[in-house]
């Protein structure tokens, strides 16, 4: 019934493709909300709230102004999704094999955290250049309106460093976010099938399984937004200003400053994470990829713990 073997090259390639669709499409769809969030972080005097931010932006740039930065968003997050989901599957299987069946079950939360952190490390290197261009386009009026204008201008001013100076703050923001996103999702799916869904996953239809995926994704997304928001504020300000370091920006923003725009981000990231997992799982269903059920205690471990008759 499966189109390929679990852990095969084709499996990883199609998981990567699922990541491209899940991250590229969802992040591009919420560009208007992301634009307003970035402007609230960078210029809170002018953009006082979500609704105020939308009305000021439409008044100054028209409705088309809300789509500013869509191209670097689509390219950057497609590349990030490819690495994030593709490498997560690679590292999850790799680390699981290294631990062995029993330890992989006992230490499964640590396994999800380690695999997702490893995947995100590479995903951020792929994302950084486009993220830098996107923030310039969205937060610096008159700098550039399109990706074609922004890239040569950035390269002319600061060289290749312009595209990678935000990679360390990106790691600060994205690695905790992704660790939470994957570990929280995996454990929530496990809990939903155990305590909420009235029948085992094997008896659920594909549609019912995808609903569980969406709900678990939303719950994970809310936690993700809270964990990664302070670093997100720093990234927004850092890409706008030349010559500032992450620690200087952090000190200047202060405790209250780094939480600006959190409500907008919870709505955005909650919806985004739920849709990402839904699209990713739908791709797996469509291509008939192996989708192992939530982990169960191995028989050998049950015997050791005296849980079998």
């Amino acid at each position: 019934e499966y189109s390929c073997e679990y852990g095969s090259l084709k499996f990883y390639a199609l998981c990567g493709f699922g990541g491209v669709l899940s991250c590229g499409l969802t992040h591009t769809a919420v560009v208007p909300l992301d634009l307003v969030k970035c402007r609230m972080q960078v210029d809170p005097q002018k953009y006082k709230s979500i609704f105020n931010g939308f009305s000021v932006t439409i008044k100054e740039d028209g409705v088309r102004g809300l789509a500013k930065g869509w191209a670097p968003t689509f390219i950057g997050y497609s590349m990030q999704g490819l690495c994030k989901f593709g490498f997560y599957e690679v590292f999850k299987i790799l680390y699981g094999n290294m631990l062995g069946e029993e330890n992989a079950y006992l230490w499964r939360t640590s396994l999800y955290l380690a695999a997702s952190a490893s995947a995100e490390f590479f995903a951020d290197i792929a994302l950084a250049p486009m993220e830098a261009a996107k923030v310039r386009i969205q937060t610096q009026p008159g700098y550039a309106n399109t990706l074609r204008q922004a890239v040569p201008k950035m390269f002319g001013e600061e060289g290749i460093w312009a595209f990678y100076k935000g990679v360390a703050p990106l790691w600060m923001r994205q690695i905790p976010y992704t660790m939470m996103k994957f570990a929280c999702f995996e454990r929530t799916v496990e809990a939903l099938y155990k305590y909420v869904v009235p029948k085992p996953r094997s008896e659920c239809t594909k549609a019912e399984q995808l609903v569980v995926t969406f709900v678990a994704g939303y719950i994970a997304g809310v936690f993700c937004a809270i964990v990664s928001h302070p670093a997100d504020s720093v990234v927004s300000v850092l890409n706008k200003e030349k010559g500032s370091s992450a620690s200087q920006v952090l000190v200047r923003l202060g405790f209250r400053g780094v939480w600006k725009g959190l409500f907008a981000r919870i709505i955005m990231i909650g919806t985004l994470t739920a849709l990402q997992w839904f699209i990713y799982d739908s791709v797996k269903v469509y291509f008939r990829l192996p989708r192992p059920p939530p982990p169960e205690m191995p028989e050998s471990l049950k015997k050791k713990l005296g849980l079998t008759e």
Side-chain angles (χ1 to χ4, degrees):
E1 70 180 291
Y2 297 128
S3 64
C4 62
E5 201 180 316
Y6 184 62
S8 65
L9 211 55
K10 184 182 177 184
F11 173 78
Y12 293 137
L14 287 170
C15 286
F17 175 67
V20 167
L21 289 184
S22 71
C23 291
L25 295 176
T26 50
H27 278 276
T28 307
V30 294
V31 160
L33 191 59
D34 186 44
L35 173 104
V36 171
K37 176 205 63 110
C38 285
R39 288 182 172 182
M40 280 168 66
Q41 289 169 330
V42 168
D43 192 352
Q45 270 72 43
K46 187 175 178 182
Y47 304 94
K48 294 178 178 67
S49 67
I50 298 181
F51 302 109
N52 173 258
F54 270 105
S55 65
V56 170
T57 301
I58 292 168
K59 205 175 285 177
E60 289 184 351
D61 304 329
V63 176
R64 283 187 69 180
L66 290 171
K68 258 190 174 180
W70 75 267
T73 299
F74 179 69
I75 297 165
Y77 282 94
S78 293
M79 295 300 295
Q80 190 215 28
L82 172 76
C83 297
K84 187 199 296 252
F85 282 93
F87 283 147
Y88 174 69
E89 300 287 357
V90 172
F91 285 117
K92 186 172 145 187
I93 292 171
L94 178 73
Y95 296 161
N97 290 341
M98 284 162 68
L99 285 169
E101 190 187 24
E102 290 180 9
N103 286 332
Y105 174 79
L106 289 171
W107 296 90
R108 60 193 183 284
T109 305
S110 302
L111 173 66
Y112 305 144
L113 291 169
S116 55
S118 303
E120 191 58 43
F121 177 84
F122 295 104
D124 289 341
I125 296 170
L127 168 67
M130 290 294 134
E131 178 75 1
K134 173 189 81 81
V135 173
R136 291 280 179 97
I137 292 166
Q138 289 182 340
T139 60
Q140 286 184 287
Y143 185 83
N145 286 320
T146 63
L147 184 61
R148 276 200 301 262
Q149 292 170 354
V151 170
K153 196 170 179 181
M154 288 168 70
F155 187 74
E157 286 174 0
E158 295 177 69
I160 199 79
W161 177 239
F163 301 102
Y164 288 100
K165 70 173 184 179
V167 79
L170 259 182
W171 283 328
M172 277 164 48
R173 178 185 90 185
Q174 290 294 134
I175 289 178
Y177 162 82
T178 300
M179 289 167 80
M180 182 66 82
K181 174 180 180 167
F182 282 81
C184 189
F185 171 79
E186 297 266 23
R187 293 309 299 254
T188 305
V189 166
E190 203 180 313
L192 287 174
Y193 280 115
K194 198 171 179 181
Y195 302 111
V196 180
V197 181
K199 55 188 175 183
R201 196 186 88 149
S202 53
E203 292 172 24
C204 294
T205 63
K206 294 280 193 288
E208 287 168 342
Q209 289 177 19
L210 288 171
V211 169
V212 173
T213 297
F214 185 83
V215 172
Y218 213 106
I219 292 166
V222 172
F223 288 104
C224 289
I226 296 166
V227 162
S228 61
H229 192 73
D232 181 62
S233 299
V234 174
V235 170
S236 295
V237 176
L238 199 65
N239 278 320
K240 185 200 173 198
E241 296 176 1
K242 286 181 199 166
S244 290
S245 71
S247 54
Q248 287 169 337
V249 171
L250 197 58
V251 169
R252 199 170 70 250
L253 285 174
F255 183 77
R256 285 187 66 180
V258 294
W259 294 106
K260 268 262 187 296
L262 177 64
F263 182 65
R265 197 148 185 272
I266 283 178
I267 297 169
M268 182 177 117
I269 296 296
T271 310
L272 209 66
T273 307
L275 284 172
Q276 280 177 5
W277 279 112
F278 185 80
I279 293 167
Y280 182 62
D281 229 17
S282 299
V283 168
K284 281 185 164 181
V285 168
Y286 179 79
F287 286 110
R288 305 196 325 278
L289 296 186
R291 294 159 64 243
E296 286 184 11
M297 189 180 289
E299 287 302 318
S300 58
L301 194 59
K302 283 181 184 173
K303 281 178 188 160
K304 278 184 189 173
L305 298 172
L307 298 173
T308 50
E309 290 302 317

